[in-house]
Amino acid sequence: MANVAVIGAQWGDEGKGKVVDWLASRADVVVRFQGGHNAGHTLVVGNETYKLSLLPSGLVRGKLGVIGNGVVVDPEALLAEIARVQAQGLTVTPERLRIAENAVLILPLHPAIDKAREEARGDGKIGTTGRGIGPAYEDKVARRAIRVADLAEPETLSHKLDELLLHHNTLLKGYGKPPFEKQALLDGLLTLAPRILPFAEPVWERLDELRRHGKRILFEGAQAVMLDVDHGTYPFVTSSNTVAATAASGAGVGPGTVGFVLGIAKAYTTRVGSGPFPTELHDATGQLLGDRGHEFGVVTGRRRRCGWFDAALVRQAVKVAGIQGIALTKLDILDGLPELKICTGYRINGLLHRHLPAAPAAQAAAVPEYEVMEGWSGSSHGARSWADLPAQAVKYVRRIEELVEAPITLLSTSPERDDTIMVRDPFEG
């Protein structure tokens, strides 16, 4: 049996929550390996809807959840999320949730810097959630971050806060914002310590033991490939690597442990925030997709921009992220549209490109080249087999397979976890 890594193949919000929940019922442990509480997964289980940001989705299914070292953790946000899901009936204890002791913490000064920068950018803002994710990753790379294990060492915290405040208070003053006081931050961390430390451990050791005992591990990514800090539409990206290779470094396992890479893609395209979006629709069809698909960010509540399926973009994600199969979601949202368009490339300054170039001006100038397909009048909503799908819907899915150069492994036809057509079991490798 193979382990599975689940990542987004577009700009996020592809429906990873449902797919991870569906797969988690057959996994033994679910690992978050990057990102922070700027991510958002919605899981519908019976009459209950869970909105998760930091907690691994497998907790909803009673599985062991692991927050890997590649995640930046806001301890207050994590504790608030635990309290929220416990109020919905879930049990979240140190026996059910483990946090990497070397994971970096987000402090109150990080969102303050995040928001001050975005405000200073004015019209050039990049669409950050303002939750301090980027500044926390910057501190990690600059080797001044406070990590979970540091909560057990008051002297370490005091020393690291001196260095952090020397850097961040200088920036805040430059932005005309009030500085932070060391003692207040130190007191806050020492208060949080006994509530966070019981969850902490060297998770790499636990994952190695689980692997050696043949347990199934599900690696859960946040955001998506086109938001990867290296491979996405930079600078309109997140601050971490979102590709499947990060599952290994972000959890503390070897690359051979990751297993099958499943990329999640909507049957159309959405994006939250600023940045290039060649297939974006500003017309009634774009509005229809947003309304039908309930396209609002789980974390921010911002309305998502909507457009036609971009096969060139997903093909690019398949190549750079090593995606071996696609889980196509929200096919039912396209029911009843008379015609559909699929982007197969971009015309930039008269030249045709099969990929989205890295240069910002070229991305902004990209005009999509479309292939037009007939829509379908029947319903795909709730379909659980190919026989339940309208014939034209099957043709649409097959054409996507050809264009992205990866097979459809799963097909989702509603938010309900069982409304899923499985073509190939990802755990079979």
Side-chain angles (χ1 to χ4, degrees):
M1 290 293 178
N3 298 323
V4 178
V6 177
I7 60 174
Q10 294 162 311
W11 279 296
D13 310 306
E14 300 97 345
K16 289 189 294 296
K18 172 195 166 169
V19 175
V20 170
D21 176 49
W22 190 84
L23 291 169
S25 63
R26 296 159 56 248
D28 297 296
V29 56
V30 180
V31 184
R32 267 288 304 276
F33 61 85
Q34 50 75 222
H37 65 307
N38 56 341
H41 292 170
T42 300
L43 286 77
V44 179
V45 183
N47 296 323
E48 201 71 62
T49 299
Y50 300 95
K51 294 184 181 295
L52 306 181
S53 292
L54 273 170
L55 293 175
S57 299
L59 286 170
V60 174
R61 293 287 160 193
K63 308 296 179 173
L64 175 66
V66 171
I67 295 176
N69 57 274
V71 178
V72 285
V73 180
D74 183 324
E76 294 187 5
L78 174 63
L79 292 170
E81 188 173 332
I82 289 173
R84 186 173 69 250
V85 298
Q86 284 185 326
Q88 291 181 272
L90 291 186
T91 300
V92 183
T93 64
E95 288 70 41
R96 296 272 301 279
L97 174 67
R98 307 308 293 163
I99 304 173
E101 63 181 2
N102 52 338
V104 166
L105 295 179
I106 297 176
L107 308 186
L109 52 80
H110 291 125
I113 287 286
D114 211 353
K115 292 170 185 173
R117 280 184 185 156
E118 192 76 335
E119 181 183 320
R121 289 185 180 109
D123 293 340
K125 64 182 180 178
I126 60 175
T128 173
T129 60
R131 301 200 169 205
I133 310 301
Y137 275 117
E138 289 174 39
D139 283 344
K140 176 180 180 176
V141 174
R143 296 170 291 183
R144 57 172 172 257
I146 290 175
R147 306 195 295 178
V148 171
D150 298 333
L151 293 175
E153 301 180 358
E155 288 188 10
T156 299
L157 289 177
S158 179
H159 171 72
K160 285 192 169 183
L161 280 174
D162 287 334
E163 186 175 0
L164 274 178
L165 291 175
L166 178 65
H167 176 79
H168 288 289
N169 277 345
T170 302
L171 287 175
L172 287 167
K173 289 174 184 175
Y175 286 120
K177 304 297 181 183
F180 280 80
E181 296 294 332
K182 175 184 175 179
Q183 195 60 47
L185 289 172
L186 181 59
D187 290 346
L189 288 169
L190 293 175
T191 299
L192 289 167
R195 302 177 65 191
I196 296 295
L197 285 173
F199 295 97
E201 70 173 18
V203 300
W204 60 266
E205 198 164 39
R206 181 181 292 267
L207 292 173
D208 180 65
E209 182 180 357
L210 289 166
R211 179 191 61 78
R212 286 188 289 107
H213 284 84
K215 301 298 184 182
R216 288 177 172 178
I217 304 173
L218 184 61
F219 296 95
E220 176 184 13
Q223 290 90 35
V225 175
M226 286 301 129
L227 292 174
D228 184 281
V229 70
D230 285 312
H231 300 290
T233 48
Y234 190 91
F236 301 98
V237 293
T238 193
S239 298
S240 60
N241 288 109
T242 60
V243 295
T246 312
S249 61
V253 300
T257 303
V258 174
F260 188 88
V261 180
L262 182 67
I264 318 298
K266 276 179 186 160
Y268 50 102
T269 309
T270 64
R271 175 165 203 169
V272 169
S274 306
F277 186 171
T279 66
E280 183 174 9
L281 293 170
H282 300 280
D283 58 9
T285 302
Q287 182 76 25
L288 178 67
L289 292 174
D291 291 345
R292 277 190 184 178
H294 305 291
E295 297 296 353
F296 296 91
V298 175
V299 170
T300 63
R302 291 181 292 182
R303 188 176 182 91
R304 297 175 186 141
R305 301 153 65 191
C306 298
W308 294 120
F309 187 85
D310 191 335
L313 194 82
V314 175
R315 176 182 173 274
Q316 190 168 334
V318 166
K319 304 303 181 184
V320 302
I323 291 170
Q324 295 163 283
I326 297 288
L328 194 68
T329 66
K330 292 197 168 184
L331 182 68
D332 56 307
I333 304 304
L334 302 179
D335 288 352
L337 292 178
E339 71 172 24
L340 304 170
K341 294 181 180 181
I342 302 176
C343 174
T344 58
Y346 315 99
R347 187 75 59 178
I348 303 173
N349 300 324
L351 296 177
L352 186 61
H353 295 253
R354 288 194 68 201
H355 72 283
L356 193 61
Q363 291 179 353
V367 177
E369 290 276 312
Y370 284 121
E371 185 174 298
V372 180
M373 294 188 68
E374 181 185 342
W376 56 88
S377 58
S379 174
S380 66
H381 183 82
R384 298 185 181 183
S385 72
W386 289 107
D388 295 334
L389 293 174
Q392 200 59 36
V394 175
K395 289 181 182 179
Y396 180 74
V397 173
R398 293 304 186 201
R399 186 56 181 149
I400 284 176
E401 279 186 314
E402 293 171 354
L403 291 170
V404 305
E405 299 179 20
I408 301 297
T409 300
L410 299 171
L411 188 63
S412 172
T413 57
S414 94
E416 296 297 328
R417 68 188 300 269
D418 292 329
D419 290 342
T420 305
I421 300 171
M422 183 170 72
V423 181
R424 175 183 176 186
D425 185 350
F427 280 113
E428 296 293 336

